[in-house]
Amino acid sequence: WGGKRHVSPLLDLVNADSQGDAHETKLEDSEDVNQKLAVTRASRRVGKGEQVFENYAQPNYLLFAYHGFLLEDNANDCALLDGLFIRRNDPGAKSAHLLRSRTPTFCIRDLASIEELAHFLRIKHGLSAENSSGSNLDDDVRPLLIEVLEGRVARLMEATSNGVNKETFALPRVHFMKQMVKNDLMHFQHALKTHVLVQN
């Protein structure tokens, strides 16, 4: 609140899931005029004796990085795609100001995320802003998308094929990372098959 981090110890006791609306914690006035209360209201009906869950509305890579867990069926999950940037000698370097960042990250999960990636690649490679249909996806940018996404798929496939001994795999962090790699692989393969490799 107010641009500062706060500790809400009891809120950390609530388990997470991805059902219902995202949680929202607000500061509200208390009876003591010198104090505020941190209030989080349930985003769905909770019956007597039923466990209360909180929806962080975050993909698994953020849940793991900031909270140390993953959600099995996370409706907000995506594959983090980062490491792309515009160099000074790229054909579109002079148009980099049209982007929100010269080193963006993408949360690959749906057509909108592929359109964002395509927009970045168009600018990076000096292609026209978009085609006559108003979409960033066309035959000019499609090979660039395929190269980026297939490159990620290949890296993830390699990561999954590397053997891990039973003792190491039993470590919770290794198990979580294997699950994230599996999920990311699924998201990248789905994006390729559903949005990039299909011809309109």
Side-chain angles (χ1 to χ4, degrees):
W1 310 283
K4 298 178 183 172
R5 290 191 171 272
H6 295 77
V7 176
S8 301
L10 291 179
L11 192 55
D12 287 338
L13 296 175
V14 177
N15 284 328
D17 71 7
S18 63
Q19 306 302 309
D21 296 330
H23 85 279
E24 188 175 355
T25 301
K26 295 180 180 178
L27 283 180
E28 295 184 4
D29 292 326
S30 71
E31 292 176 13
D32 180 349
V33 292
N34 296 323
Q35 237 180 356
K36 295 271 189 185
L37 300 174
V39 177
T40 301
R41 302 195 190 297
S43 64
R44 60 183 183 264
R45 187 174 258 326
V46 180
K48 183 179 179 179
E50 187 179 344
Q51 184 175 351
V52 176
F53 289 94
E54 178 180 17
N55 182 356
Y56 285 69
Q58 295 176 335
N60 277 335
Y61 76 87
L62 288 177
L63 292 176
F64 185 67
Y66 294 106
H67 309 290
F69 67 87
L70 304 174
L71 293 175
E72 192 95 8
D73 296 315
N74 186 352
N76 300 294
D77 199 20
C78 66
L80 173 65
L81 194 152
D82 60 359
L84 300 176
F85 49 89
I86 295 184
R87 294 182 178 95
R88 280 184 278 203
N89 61 344
D90 282 338
K94 290 181 180 174
S95 299
H97 66 280
L98 299 173
L99 298 168
R100 58 185 159 89
S101 171
R102 292 176 75 97
T103 58
T105 59
F106 302 94
C107 193
I108 302 298
R109 83 169 126 233
D110 55 15
L111 180 58
S113 61
I114 296 299
E115 289 272 359
E116 278 185 51
L117 175 58
H119 176 69
F120 171 81
L121 292 172
R122 282 185 168 287
I123 290 177
K124 176 178 174 60
H125 293 280
L127 302 174
S128 63
E130 58 184 38
N131 65 31
S132 59
S133 71
S135 171
N136 284 308
L137 298 175
D138 64 14
D139 290 338
D140 290 341
V141 77
R142 198 174 308 276
L144 302 171
L145 284 166
I146 291 169
E147 179 183 352
V148 168
L149 295 173
E150 284 185 344
R152 294 303 163 113
V153 167
R155 283 177 34 196
L156 292 171
M157 294 292 282
E158 182 180 331
T160 58
S161 68
N162 288 339
V164 176
N165 66 40
K166 286 183 181 181
E167 294 81 29
T168 304
F169 189 77
L171 296 172
R173 68 179 180 272
V174 174
H175 176 73
F176 285 150
M177 292 308 295
K178 286 275 193 184
Q179 186 61 42
M180 283 180 51
V181 166
K182 179 180 152 198
N183 291 348
D184 284 0
L185 188 57
M186 178 196 65
H187 286 297
F188 286 130
Q189 288 173 327
H190 176 77
L192 267 167
K193 179 180 172 188
T194 308
H195 303 301
V196 179
L197 296 176
V198 295
Q199 299 293 323
N200 294 337

